[in-house]
Amino acid sequence: MFPSVFQILLKRKILLSVLFVLFLIYHSIFNSFTGQILFDRVFVPMVRGELRGKIRKFSPLYGIRIEDLALGTRPEWGPDPVLQAKGLEFSYNLPYILFGRLKISRISLENATVRLKKKKGIWNVATLLSGSDSGGKEKASPPPAKESPISVIRTYLPVSAFARLELKNLDFGISSEEGGKSTEVGMAGLDLDLEIDTERFSSVPLNLSALGLIDDFKLSLNPEKPIRIRFRDPLRQMDHPFRLTWIWERSDTRHPFRSKMDIGADKIRLKIADRLAEPFGFSFRYDLDYSPVSKEIVLKNLKLAVNEDEWLEGGGRISGIGSELQNVHFALQKSSIRLAPISGFLTDLGIRGISLQGNASLAPLLLEGTSKELRATGEVKASGLDLRIGAKAHSIQELDLDWDGRFRPQPTEEATAEKPLPWISLLEIKRLKALYNGSSLAGTFFYSGDSSLAAPALDLKLKLDRFSLAPYVSGLSGLLSVDLNVKGRDFSDLNAGLSLKLSDFRFPYGRGNSGNIGLNAKGNYTFLFFKKPWALERIKATPVSVSVFSPDGERALFLESFVEIGIRDSLALSVGGLKIEADLDELIPPLPLALRESLIPLRSQIGSRLSLGGNLNYVKKEKKQGIDGNIRLNLPALEIKDGKLNLSAKVEGTPPDKIFLDRMDLTAFSGKLALSSQGILTRAKPGETAALGDFSPDLKGSLKLISAEDAYLIKGLTFRGDLRLGFGWQGSDLSGTLTSKDSSLYVSNRLCPSPECKLYRIDGLNATVPFQHDLSVKETRNLIEGNKRKFVLNYGRMPEPNFTIREIVGTHPSLKGVPFEYIKPKTDSPGLSANLSYSENYLRMDFLKIHTLDGEVLGKDVIVNVGSGDPERMEYSMELRVKDIDLKQLLPGRSRGKIDDGKIKADLNLWGRNLGDPIPNLNLFFSVYQIGRDFGKSAINIFAPSNLLTDFIYTSYAVDKIELELSKGLVYAVILFKRSVLGTLVNLENNQVSQQRMPLANFLNRAQSEIETYNK
């Protein structure tokens, strides 16, 4: 037995000897002496400056301690070292890793001074490492490759961690010299003791949830002495003690939790340009204790003060910690906030753009109850608040808010559409009154989460008066007044009444601004939330009305409608009972110039008063849309009182790829005028030409005007008959047929019966005219040339006409109240007949025949080159022959007997370009080869003014032929004479009189004067 015991003791002795030898070897190698050698030979050469220190402890397993540490830069940075410390220690326990423990025993810096300096954009610390260049600038490194961000650090084995940081009497300063100006900021006397101990973990999340791993926490910041903060720049300087105490201790359940804070300073004196500013002081403090014996958290001495004003003062307690139900009591007893001292201090700091004035109070505030039912009451008051930040001013002359609430800090119910705020049991704003920048706001609010109440659970009344828009909405100005009332049994069904008034409203458009406009709006609204909290599904407005007034107070626009909007699974809009009334005479003057210029021509066309009404439905689901509705139109100026538009369309794609026009019907004049169309609009592919915006149409439709008896339509127009226009629009090709069956038109100047009455009747209009127009034509080619030697000679066999008018009867051109037949039928022939066609953007008329003034007018080759539709590029050409028309019928009865022969025969050829300005661009050749003596003399008087000598000469001859040519606004005329008996005494060269280059205006004036001689 003894030998075995001896052997065991011998083995242990050998093991202890080996361990002792290893211990001696480790400490002989790793000690303060070898640490000093390593420090001097390795770390000191790495620094481009001065580095010195004494190694008092060195161990790879347990850390290092350095005393009398100094780190200095080169002489040009001055004598002050970057870092100087009495002691620097970094202690850890590496063997603890074997037991799953990461322990940093101590990181401490004792009696340290840190000085950071910046000159010419370079920091002194940047010049310390030997690898840095003289400029202290690092070479740009290539950007790192993009990697997915790491959210968790994993240790794979469960470990715990401990760390402790100590700073004792730290003096820290930063100085900068830029452009000859120096700035210095620093603090002295900073003490910090931070200790963290964690639970065991195998992963560390890189977010705030990592705080849950902390098991023991201790923070002590300057618990006994204040720090000293210094600041200096060319204008200001300060060196003043500050209280910076914060203690936060959290330990296990056997020890209490404690937190204390005291931050502030008294009578801070800031020196500005050799003068001392007014002293300024502030403080914030609290004491927070937790006792595990009484299970109570107590908050004491909560105070925020500025100078002598106690902005906030209060305290409270929470008892029953750890039990199911906790009791809460917190009170804010005092609050007196004066903003003037803050404003003065900011001004002393050189912050000139901020000005604060006025008084406010946040007390009393009381929180009382349990963790299941907590009551809060309070008042907020303010007076004379004036906040100016830059150019913006906020003036609150008075603020009074009195409120009371009951809350559930731990709600057991889930948020629903009926109760989206389950943590609120009751909330009441008993009084709200605010006077802000000349406007006023007043109201009350009540909400209860108790569904057993008979009264509405939500009731809001809010009234805003004379709120100015200009400071808050760029470009807009005006005074806004709002009256809002909201009621509801719960939040799923809210009923709101809104009344809005906007006076002196102005808005910009283009380069101008509107005048002062008034606007009133009111409506009753229902907001429905069916499934989820705050998930609005439907809005109903019953009804909404908007009135717009001119600067004189006259109503210019009125809108009223019932609106329903659904936004549950798709967007659905329904507008019913729409009513719009506009008075353009009142609406246009106050509008900006750009809008006035666009609306004034519209007013001249449709009149000053108009009204619209009807219904509209719109649905959008995913990429499909549907529109249908009907609109009623009333335009008194156009005498349209029953205009109706029915529309039904579907849209596919976003943006739209196809538009299916199922129906578009427009009717007016008791259904006598009807336009209908249907088809498809397809978005043009890239590179394709679209005929209608971005779309290529495939449409069919018709325009009809049908009345079995005389029916008054618009502006003196009466119609009877059957007039139709059928069309098809495919791509850029627009084609169809114009038809008329025995139609009649009556046109008057609406002064009948009176001496000024002018009435015309077009009777027996029959037509079957095809047309085809190419919208892709963008240019009008010059294809028509006139020739004055082209005359109508012989038509031969004429085809059946497709356009005829039986007769045109109207007021006599020179006699008031006397009817006159302008065109009249002859035997079985209509008064006017022709062959019309429109194709390839040309209007052609052939075989024209008109019976008028007991003669006839024949025409052919009547062509209008429409081309692209630009009037300035259009061309026209026409050849006519006049046969035996009696001009005496156009004269008053008393003048007809003086005319021996009123019949004339003539040929007419005209052509030209630019219908935008037709007169200067008209070319005309008129050849009269038969004319009576009296009218011949009148022609002579137009070209050669009458006197005794010319009358005697021209009376010696009879007019044989007259040729008149108009070119470029000038008239050229030649009158050929037949020799008479007196002509043997008076001889004219070539038997003719000519007139060259007579301005057209002179010609027309002379012609008018000559015509007047027949009306005397």
Side-chain angles (χ1 to χ4, degrees):
M1 176 179 178
F2 289 102
S4 61
V5 173
F6 178 77
Q7 291 178 355
I8 291 173
L9 292 175
L10 182 61
K11 291 180 178 179
R12 289 184 177 179
K13 184 178 180 180
I14 295 172
L15 178 62
L16 291 174
S17 299
V18 171
L19 292 177
F20 180 73
V21 171
L22 292 176
F23 176 79
L24 292 177
I25 294 173
Y26 176 83
H27 280 279
S28 64
I29 297 175
F30 302 109
N31 51 47
S32 60
F33 179 75
T34 57
Q36 187 71 48
I37 295 174
L38 183 65
F39 179 78
D40 293 338
R41 296 186 178 182
V42 176
F43 292 99
V44 171
M46 294 175 59
V47 177
R48 299 187 65 179
E50 182 182 3
L51 176 62
R52 63 180 183 272
K54 298 178 181 179
I55 307 301
R56 297 305 184 189
K57 183 181 75 172
F58 173 66
S59 172
L61 297 178
Y62 298 101
I64 187 172
R65 177 176 175 81
I66 307 174
E67 293 183 356
D68 299 328
L69 177 64
L71 176 62
T73 56
R74 289 176 296 184
E76 61 264 25
W77 290 94
D80 295 333
V82 175
L83 172 64
Q84 186 173 4
K86 182 65 177 177
L88 171 63
E89 183 174 345
F90 180 51
S91 298
Y92 50 86
N93 196 322
L94 201 59
Y96 268 27
I97 295 179
L98 300 176
F99 303 98
R101 180 75 163 168
L102 304 176
K103 185 177 181 180
I104 300 176
S105 304
R106 188 183 184 196
I107 301 175
S108 70
L109 192 61
E110 303 169 7
N111 296 324
T113 301
V114 179
R115 294 289 183 267
L116 300 181
K117 295 183 180 181
K118 182 181 180 182
K119 292 182 179 179
K120 299 179 180 180
I122 303 173
W123 289 96
N124 56 354
V125 293
T127 65
L128 291 175
L129 297 179
S130 58
S132 62
D133 56 21
S134 61
K137 300 178 181 178
E138 297 182 357
K139 295 182 179 180
S141 58
K146 292 185 178 180
E147 299 179 357
S148 58
I150 300 175
S151 60
V152 176
I153 298 176
R154 300 189 182 277
T155 62
Y156 299 101
L157 295 177
V159 296
S160 63
F162 173 85
R164 184 177 182 182
L165 173 65
E166 290 183 4
L167 299 177
K168 294 183 179 180
N169 196 24
L170 175 65
D171 188 340
F172 181 81
I174 300 176
S175 62
S176 173
E177 295 182 7
E178 296 288 344
K181 297 181 180 179
S182 62
T183 303
E184 181 181 351
V185 179
M187 63 179 177
L190 177 66
D191 293 340
L192 173 67
D193 189 356
L194 175 63
E195 187 176 299
I196 299 176
D197 198 356
T198 72
E199 301 174 347
R200 285 193 173 272
F201 56 87
S202 59
S203 63
V204 180
L206 300 180
N207 50 47
L208 292 177
S209 62
L211 297 177
L213 301 177
I214 299 176
D215 182 51
D216 190 5
F217 177 81
K218 178 183 177 182
L219 172 66
S220 178
L221 181 65
N222 284 76
E224 297 178 355
K225 63 177 183 179
I227 66 170
R228 196 167 192 92
I229 296 179
R230 59 185 181 274
F231 169 79
R232 180 181 58 82
D233 69 7
L235 296 178
R236 298 169 290 267
Q237 64 179 10
M238 179 191 71
D239 191 348
H240 195 82
F242 280 77
R243 300 185 303 276
L244 186 62
T245 299
W246 189 18
I247 299 173
W248 185 283
E249 297 176 337
R250 189 181 103 180
S251 200
D252 54 42
T253 55
R254 293 174 297 174
H255 299 88
F257 165 82
R258 178 171 175 260
S259 178
K260 178 182 179 180
M261 178 178 284
D262 186 1
I263 299 175
D266 299 326
K267 296 183 179 180
I268 303 172
R269 299 303 295 266
L270 186 66
K271 190 175 182 181
I272 305 173
D274 296 330
R275 71 174 181 86
L276 290 177
E278 290 296 324
F280 178 80
F282 73 97
S283 67
F284 175 71
R285 63 182 63 181
Y286 71 81
D287 288 322
L288 186 65
D289 293 305
Y290 167 63
S291 173
V293 177
S294 60
K295 296 182 180 181
E296 187 176 61
I297 297 177
V298 179
L299 175 63
K300 298 181 294 182
N301 300 324
L302 175 64
K303 184 180 291 186
L304 173 63
V306 175
N307 285 348
E308 303 299 327
D309 301 325
E310 295 184 353
W311 283 29
L312 299 174
E313 182 179 351
R317 66 181 64 239
I318 301 176
S319 59
I321 302 298
S323 61
E324 183 179 354
L325 193 66
Q326 295 87 38
N327 294 313
V328 179
H329 178 84
F330 174 82
L332 196 65
Q333 296 96 349
K334 294 182 180 180
S335 178
S336 177
I337 302 173
R338 289 192 311 119
L339 298 180
I342 298 290
S343 181
F345 182 69
L346 294 176
T347 302
D348 289 339
L349 288 177
I351 304 175
R352 306 291 182 182
I354 300 178
S355 174
L356 308 174
Q357 299 293 331
N359 303 316
S361 171
L362 304 180
L365 173 64
L366 176 64
L367 300 178
E368 193 172 28
T370 67
S371 57
K372 290 186 177 180
E373 187 74 24
L374 183 66
R375 182 182 180 185
T377 61
E379 285 188 55
V380 177
K381 293 185 177 181
S383 62
L385 293 183
D386 189 2
L387 314 177
R388 298 179 183 272
I389 302 176
K392 293 186 177 181
H394 305 272
S395 176
I396 303 177
Q397 294 84 5
E398 181 181 356
L399 174 63
D400 189 357
L401 175 63
D402 186 358
W403 62 279
D404 186 358
R406 291 177 174 83
F407 305 93
R408 303 186 185 99
Q410 300 173 353
T412 57
E413 302 176 358
E414 294 291 333
T416 62
E418 292 79 10
K419 296 180 181 180
L421 305 171
W423 50 275
I424 298 180
S425 177
L426 182 145
L427 180 60
E428 181 179 8
I429 297 178
K430 301 177 182 179
R431 181 175 61 257
L432 170 62
K433 181 180 180 182
L435 302 179
Y436 171 72
N437 280 11
S439 64
S440 64
L441 176 66
T444 60
F445 176 75
F446 176 83
Y447 167 71
S448 173
D450 189 353
S451 57
S452 64
L453 293 178
L458 187 144
D459 190 351
L460 170 65
K461 296 179 180 178
L462 201 62
K463 187 172 183 179
L464 176 67
D465 189 35
R466 298 184 65 79
F467 179 77
S468 178
L469 298 178
Y472 312 100
V473 185
S474 177
L476 301 184
S477 64
L479 298 177
L480 175 65
S481 298
V482 178
D483 195 348
L484 175 65
N485 292 279
V486 181
K487 294 180 180 292
R489 288 285 303 170
D490 51 53
F491 275 97
S492 67
D493 189 349
L494 298 179
N495 297 305
L498 175 65
S499 177
L500 181 148
K501 182 179 180 181
L502 189 57
S503 58
D504 297 330
F505 177 59
R506 295 171 64 92
F507 65 94
Y509 186 85
R511 296 184 178 180
N513 291 289
S514 69
N516 292 332
I517 297 174
L519 188 146
N520 291 346
K522 62 180 180 179
N524 296 315
Y525 304 87
T526 301
F527 299 90
L528 301 176
F529 307 80
F530 290 132
K531 287 188 175 182
K532 298 179 180 179
W534 311 115
L536 182 62
E537 297 186 14
R538 184 169 298 175
I539 303 173
K540 295 181 180 180
T542 54
V544 177
S545 65
V546 178
S547 299
V548 178
F549 298 91
S550 69
D552 297 331
E554 299 295 330
R555 192 170 79 175
L557 180 66
F558 175 75
L559 183 148
E560 184 179 63
S561 179
F562 295 86
V563 181
E564 183 170 348
I565 303 174
I567 51 178
R568 184 172 182 178
D569 299 322
S570 60
L571 176 61
L573 171 65
S574 178
V575 179
L578 177 64
K579 181 180 180 182
I580 301 177
E581 297 177 351
D583 186 345
L584 298 184
D585 287 340
E586 300 293 341
L587 181 63
I588 291 177
L591 293 179
L593 179 61
L595 288 177
R596 291 202 304 268
E597 290 178 342
S598 60
L599 288 178
I600 288 175
L602 178 65
R603 178 178 60 180
S604 64
Q605 297 294 326
I606 66 174
S608 61
R609 294 182 178 272
L610 60 93
S611 64
L612 294 174
N615 304 285
L616 179 66
N617 296 304
Y618 171 79
V619 177
K620 180 179 182 181
K621 188 172 184 180
E622 295 179 351
K623 294 186 177 181
K624 294 185 178 181
Q625 305 173 62
I627 305 171
D628 65 83
N630 59 83
I631 302 295
R632 300 183 303 275
L633 179 63
N634 184 5
L635 299 175
L638 297 180
E639 302 185 36
I640 298 178
K641 301 179 180 179
D642 58 350
K644 295 180 182 179
L645 173 64
N646 294 315
L647 177 66
S648 178
K650 297 181 180 64
V651 181
E652 289 186 356
T654 305
D657 295 322
K658 284 189 177 182
I659 301 176
F660 297 88
L661 186 62
D662 298 330
R663 181 190 63 180
M664 185 184 72
D665 298 328
L666 175 63
T667 61
F669 307 118
S670 301
K672 296 177 177 63
L673 177 65
L675 170 65
S676 64
S677 181
Q678 58 278 331
I680 302 175
L681 300 174
T682 305
R683 180 177 292 275
K685 297 179 181 179
E688 292 184 351
T689 302
L692 190 60
D694 295 330
F695 293 87
S696 179
D698 185 4
L699 303 174
K700 293 183 179 180
S702 64
L703 176 63
K704 300 177 183 179
L705 183 58
I706 301 174
S707 178
E709 55 187 28
D710 291 341
Y712 180 80
L713 300 180
I714 177 176
K715 288 193 174 184
L717 176 63
T718 300
F719 176 80
R720 173 178 53 81
D722 186 341
L723 184 63
R724 301 170 185 253
L725 177 68
F727 64 88
W729 190 355
Q730 189 167 13
S732 61
D733 186 70
L734 182 62
S735 60
T737 303
L738 171 67
T739 61
S740 176
K741 297 180 180 180
D742 198 24
S743 301
S744 297
L745 296 173
Y746 297 84
V747 182
S748 75
N749 60 357
R750 294 187 291 179
L751 297 177
C752 304
S754 74
E756 303 300 326
C757 171
K758 292 186 181 297
L759 176 64
Y760 303 91
R761 186 186 79 228
I762 301 174
D763 198 15
L765 173 61
N766 291 277
T768 305
V769 180
F771 65 89
Q772 181 270 329
H773 184 81
D774 188 355
L775 295 171
S776 65
V777 176
K778 302 301 180 183
E779 295 183 359
T780 304
R781 294 180 296 173
N782 297 330
L783 300 177
I784 296 177
E785 295 292 342
N787 186 342
K788 65 183 182 180
R789 286 179 288 276
K790 291 170 63 178
F791 302 115
V792 177
L793 299 176
N794 185 12
Y795 276 86
R797 185 174 179 181
M798 297 175 60
E800 190 70 22
N802 65 355
F803 183 86
T804 62
I805 296 176
R806 184 167 51 250
E807 64 177 344
I808 299 178
V809 180
T811 304
H812 196 283
S814 58
L815 300 177
K816 295 182 179 180
V818 177
F820 182 76
E821 290 182 313
Y822 289 90
I823 294 176
K824 58 183 178 181
K826 185 176 182 180
T827 60
D828 295 332
S829 300
L832 183 148
S833 62
N835 271 85
L836 278 175
S837 66
Y838 183 87
S839 63
E840 298 179 352
N841 299 22
Y842 277 84
L843 174 65
R844 294 177 175 85
M845 178 187 293
D846 270 324
F847 307 106
L848 173 64
K849 189 174 184 180
I850 301 174
H851 297 290
T852 179
L853 300 176
D854 295 334
E856 63 181 11
V857 178
L858 305 176
K860 72 170 184 178
D861 295 337
V862 180
I863 301 175
V864 179
N865 179 11
V866 177
S868 63
D870 182 4
E872 295 184 357
R873 300 285 297 170
M874 289 185 184
E875 301 177 316
Y876 52 92
S877 175
M878 178 185 299
E879 290 92 41
L880 297 176
R881 166 159 287 185
V882 179
K883 295 177 61 177
D884 297 326
I885 63 172
D886 188 0
L887 297 180
K888 288 195 304 183
Q889 297 183 30
L890 299 175
L891 302 178
R894 61 180 177 273
S895 300
R896 294 179 187 176
K898 303 176 183 179
I899 305 300
D900 57 347
D901 183 7
K903 291 188 176 182
I904 69 169
K905 294 180 180 180
D907 289 323
L908 174 66
N909 179 18
L910 62 86
W911 69 97
R913 298 185 180 94
N914 190 357
L915 289 178
D917 190 10
I919 299 302
N921 297 282
L922 174 64
N923 297 283
L924 178 145
F925 182 75
F926 186 44
S927 176
V928 180
Y929 52 89
Q930 179 179 318
I931 188 170
R933 185 178 186 86
D934 295 293
F935 284 135
K937 182 179 179 181
S938 295
I940 296 173
N941 291 336
I942 292 174
F943 295 107
S946 176
N947 55 54
L948 293 177
L949 179 60
T950 58
D951 285 348
F952 173 76
I953 295 174
Y954 297 146
T955 305
S956 304
Y957 294 86
V959 176
D960 181 34
K961 188 177 182 181
I962 301 175
E963 290 184 352
L964 183 145
E965 184 176 355
L966 173 64
S967 178
K968 298 180 180 181
L970 299 176
V971 178
Y972 303 83
V974 177
I975 301 177
L976 301 177
F977 294 96
K978 297 177 182 179
R979 184 172 294 275
S980 64
V981 176
L982 294 176
T984 57
L985 301 176
V986 180
N987 187 21
L988 293 177
E989 184 179 356
N990 297 325
N991 294 324
Q992 67 179 23
V993 174
S994 64
Q995 176 68 49
Q996 302 291 325
R997 302 177 62 84
M998 177 185 290
L1000 179 60
N1002 293 352
F1003 171 78
L1004 295 177
N1005 289 334
R1006 290 186 182 183
Q1008 181 65 33
S1009 300
E1010 188 64 26
I1011 292 173
E1012 291 296 330
T1013 61
Y1014 292 100
N1015 294 327
K1016 295 179 180 179

